Amino acid sequence: MQPVLLKMSTLFVRTLRDDPADAEVPSHRLLARGGYIRRAAPGGFTWLPLGWRVLRNVERIVREEMDAMGAQEVHFPALLPREPYEATGRWTEYGDNVFRLKDRRGADFLLGPTHEEMFTLLVKDLYGSYKDLPVSLYQIQTKYRDEARPRAGLFRTREFVMKDSYSFDVDDAGLERSYAAHREAYTRVFERLGLEYVIVSATSGAMGGSRSEEFLTPTAIGEDTFVRSAGGYAANVEAVTTVVPESIPLKGLPAAHVEDTPDTPTIDTLVAVAVERFPDAGYTAAHTLKNVVVQLRHPDGTAQPLVIGLPGDRDVDTKRLEAQVAPAEVEPFTDFAAHPALVKGYIGPQVLGEESASGIRYLVDPRVVPGTRWITGANEPGKHVFDLAAGRDFTWDGVIEAAEVRAGDPAPDGSGPLELARGVEMGHVFALGRKYAEALDLKVLDENGKLVTVTMGSYGIGVSRAVAAIAESTHDELGLVWPRAVAPADVHVVATGKDAAVFEAALALSQELVAAGLTVLYDDRPKVSPGVKFKDAELLGMPTIVTVGRGLVDGVLELRDRATGEREEIPVDGAAAAVLAAVRG
C-alpha cells in the first residue's frame, strides 16, 4: 500500500480499557479493544481503518502468491441465482446453512457461500478446447453462511472474506500439477503471514473429490482436532482411519449365552456386573459392544434412524460421524416407541440391519471384525448376551469411522502413536475431479477432437480468519504484536509531554519516514498522558515504536522492538536512518 502518515488525533479509532462482554478469545478481545473491528450483528463485524489495513495486507500477500503461481483474478457477485446450485444439488444440500432470498419477481437467489458452480459456468461459457487449458482462476470476496452459533470473533462468522480458486485441466495428471502448485503457493502464503501451520489429510465431505488437505494453525482455541505422529503422519480427526485388527477364526469359539444383568443400562454398570459374574475373564469396557442410535436428517427433510456399533470404551465422535454421512445432519434419536425392536439400554445387533425385522441400518466400527466376541444387549430389559461373535452370531450393513480417536492410538501408516492437538483451519485444498463439471456439462474437445469432461480443483484460504489467527498467535499480555508483513503501520511514533519541540521533532521524523517509504502511526494527541499513549502503543501492536520525549533535550530518542521488548537510544540526528535500518533489517 502507499505509505501514509496516520495521526492518532484524527484517526477513526477508539481504544478500550475493558474487554467487550461478548469476546471469548484473545484475538477478539484485543482486536475490539484496539479499535480494529466492531461488532455489527451476530457473526458480522465492521472493519475500522486499522483493521481494514491489516485485512488488505493479508489480501495483498495472498494475491501476490496466487498471481506468482499463474492464477488469474476474477470477481463474482455475492448474490447468485438458484439454478446452478439446483443443478449440482447444493441448493438442497446446504440446508439451513445458506442465506436464501427472493427478488421482486419471486425468483430464488442465495448469498454465495462458495462459488464452484459460478466458476464452472464461466469457463464453460468462454472455453471449449484443450488448447485453452489448464487455467486457474481465483477471487477474494465476501462469503455468507448462516452459522447457527457464531463465536470466537472473526473465527466463526456469518460473513467473512475468503480467497477461493479453481483449477481446470483436461486430465487427472493436469489436476495433480495444479493441486501441487496451489499447495506450494499456500505454504508461501502462510510463511509470509508468520503463521505456524500443519498440513493434514482431510475428508472431502459434501465438496466431493478424491483428495483433500487442510492447512491448520495450532491453537488451544481451535475447533478442529487433528492428530500427528512422531513419524510424520498428520490428519484431521475426521479423516483418521482405524488400524483394523486381524479376523479371528470362528471355529472353536464359545457359544453365546444370555445372562441376567438387571439395572445395567450403562457401560460402567454392565462391566461391574460382568467382572463380578466372571472374575477371571478380565472384562473391561473394551469388551462390550455399544449400539448407539442416531437420526439422520437428509437435505430433503426426510429422516431415518441409524445404529452404530462400537467398543464400549469409546464414544461416537459427532464430527467424525457427520463427515461420514454428509450432507445428512445428525440428530438425537428419541422415537423408540416407533421402533419396538429397540430396547433402550439393552440394544443388541441381533435385531439390527437393513435385512432384519427392524430394518434399521447397522454400521460398525472397524474394530468389529469376524471372530471378535462381545458383551452386548440381548434386546430384553435387564439382559445382556456374552460371547456374541461377530460374523457368526450377527452381521452388519457396513463399516463406519465414527468412534473417537484417542492419544496413543496407532497411526494408520505405522509411524507411531498419535498425539492430539487443536487447530483452526486456515486453508483447504480439494482435488474435486469431475463432480461439478459433469453436473454443469463442462466439456472441451481434446487433441483428437473428442469431447472430454474437464477435471477441477478447489482451493480456499480464510482471509479474514487469518487476521484473527495472526492476532491469536502473536499477542502478549500487553496487547497485539503484529508481524511486519501485515501490520497496519511500520512504525508507531509516540510524542510525550507538552513541549512543542517534542511534537515538532516527532512530526519531522514521521514525515521523513513516510518519505522513505514507511507507513507511520503518529500519536500526536496533545492532551493525552504518556502512560495512556504507551498503553495504546502496546495494545495496537506496531512492530517498531519510537518515543520522542524527555530524552530530546539530550539529543536522543528511544527505539523499541514491540515483539522482543528490546530498547535502545538513538541520536536525533540520523534517527530516520536508524529506524529504517531496524525496520528493514
Side-chain angles (χ1 to χ4, degrees), residues 319-332:
K319 293 191 72 172
R320 274 169 61 80
L321 175 58
E322 288 176 339
Q324 298 294 318
V325 300
E329 295 183 351
V330 177
E331 299 176 346

Side-chain angles (χ1 to χ4, degrees), residues 48-250:
L48 303 184
L50 289 178
W52 189 243
R53 293 183 70 84
V54 177
L55 181 67
R56 284 191 293 163
N57 280 333
V58 174
E59 288 182 353
R60 171 181 53 78
I61 289 171
V62 172
R63 202 170 259 120
E64 287 172 357
E65 293 301 336
M66 294 306 298
D67 292 346
M69 65 152 281
Q72 302 174 64
E73 186 172 9
V74 298
H75 194 80
F76 286 92
L79 184 64
L80 303 172
R82 171 177 179 164
E83 290 74 17
Y85 292 84
E86 191 80 72
T88 60
R90 295 208 295 176
W91 176 265
T92 301
E93 287 178 4
Y94 268 121
D96 293 335
N97 291 324
V98 70
F99 288 98
R100 294 176 171 84
L101 61 159
K102 292 181 181 291
D103 68 9
R104 66 181 65 194
R105 297 175 182 83
D108 287 314
F109 287 82
L110 75 161
L111 294 178
T114 183
H115 280 68
E116 281 80 5
E117 287 83 353
M118 305 309 296
F119 275 87
T120 304
L121 289 173
L122 180 64
V123 173
K124 177 183 177 181
D125 184 40
L126 296 177
Y127 280 179
S129 168
Y130 76 97
K131 296 177 181 179
D132 299 322
L133 305 180
V135 65
S136 289
L137 305 175
Y138 79 96
Q139 66 172 346
I140 298 176
Q141 197 223 40
T142 302
K143 310 286 189 180
Y144 301 87
R145 293 178 190 169
D146 191 0
E147 287 284 351
R149 292 174 295 278
R151 61 173 298 274
L154 297 175
F155 279 122
R156 184 162 292 278
T157 58
R158 290 175 169 172
E159 177 179 315
F160 54 94
V161 180
M162 177 176 155
K163 187 285 302 177
D164 54 328
S165 56
Y166 304 85
S167 62
F168 300 84
D169 287 274
V170 174
D171 53 29
D172 292 340
L175 172 58
E176 282 298 311
R177 290 189 291 271
S178 296
Y179 186 99
H182 276 86
R183 194 177 189 274
E184 292 171 9
Y186 276 31
T187 63
R188 292 191 294 271
V189 166
F190 294 122
E191 286 167 359
R192 289 181 62 185
L193 292 177
L195 280 173
E196 179 188 358
Y197 64 90
V198 179
I199 305 175
V200 303
S201 299
T203 56
S204 296
M207 286 286 288
S210 60
R211 178 187 178 192
S212 89
E213 293 174 292
E214 290 177 347
F215 287 71
L216 299 178
T217 293
T219 172
I221 61 102
E223 289 189 333
D224 288 307
T225 302
F226 68 96
V227 300
R228 48 188 167 186
S229 71
Y233 176 81
N236 187 302
V237 72
E238 297 156 34
V240 176
T241 55
T242 303
V243 176
V244 181
E246 293 287 336
S247 297
I248 300 169
L250 297 175

Side-chain angles (χ1 to χ4, degrees), residues 169-447:
D169 287 274
V170 174
D171 53 29
D172 292 340
L175 172 58
E176 282 298 311
R177 290 189 291 271
S178 296
Y179 186 99
H182 276 86
R183 194 177 189 274
E184 292 171 9
Y186 276 31
T187 63
R188 292 191 294 271
V189 166
F190 294 122
E191 286 167 359
R192 289 181 62 185
L193 292 177
L195 280 173
E196 179 188 358
Y197 64 90
V198 179
I199 305 175
V200 303
S201 299
T203 56
S204 296
M207 286 286 288
S210 60
R211 178 187 178 192
S212 89
E213 293 174 292
E214 290 177 347
F215 287 71
L216 299 178
T217 293
T219 172
I221 61 102
E223 289 189 333
D224 288 307
T225 302
F226 68 96
V227 300
R228 48 188 167 186
S229 71
Y233 176 81
N236 187 302
V237 72
E238 297 156 34
V240 176
T241 55
T242 303
V243 176
V244 181
E246 293 287 336
S247 297
I248 300 169
L250 297 175
K251 187 177 181 180
L253 294 180
H257 50 102
V258 176
E259 301 287 340
D260 288 324
T261 53
D263 302 319
T264 57
T266 68
I267 295 298
D268 288 341
T269 55
L270 173 60
V271 172
V273 169
V275 170
E276 180 182 359
R277 193 77 52 83
F278 304 99
D280 298 328
Y283 286 134
T284 67
H287 295 95
T288 66
L289 182 65
K290 177 164 51 179
N291 296 296
V292 178
V293 191
V294 298
Q295 180 168 272
L296 300 185
R297 178 72 61 181
H298 297 283
D300 62 3
T302 60
Q304 65 177 147
L306 170 69
V307 179
I308 300 154
L310 70 162
D313 63 334
R314 294 181 188 254
D315 291 323
V316 169
D317 183 320
T318 303
K319 293 191 72 172
R320 274 169 61 80
L321 175 58
E322 288 176 339
Q324 298 294 318
V325 300
E329 295 183 351
V330 177
E331 299 176 346
F333 178 84
T334 57
D335 195 8
F336 283 90
H339 299 276
L342 302 179
V343 180
K344 190 174 182 180
Y346 298 91
I347 299 172
Q350 308 91 319
V351 299
L352 301 173
E354 292 176 317
E355 301 300 321
S356 71
S358 73
I360 298 174
R361 192 178 183 207
Y362 184 48
L363 303 178
V364 298
D365 182 82
R367 299 171 185 84
V368 181
V369 297
T372 51
R373 290 179 290 142
W374 305 93
I375 306 170
T376 190
N379 302 300
E380 294 183 59
K383 294 181 182 293
H384 282 85
V385 58
F386 286 61
D387 291 319
L388 196 74
R392 183 192 68 184
D393 302 321
F394 70 96
T395 59
W396 47 92
D397 298 314
V399 176
I400 189 169
E401 292 279 6
E404 63 181 343
V405 178
R406 291 177 176 172
D409 284 348
D413 64 353
S415 58
L418 297 176
E419 63 176 43
L420 274 65
R422 307 288 294 177
V424 169
E425 180 186 340
M426 298 307 307
H428 207 151
V429 290
F430 296 89
L432 282 183
R434 296 172 176 83
K435 173 181 177 179
Y436 295 90
E438 287 175 348
L440 298 168
D441 198 31
L442 172 57
K443 297 180 179 180
V444 296
L445 292 171
D446 67 10
E447 55 188 359

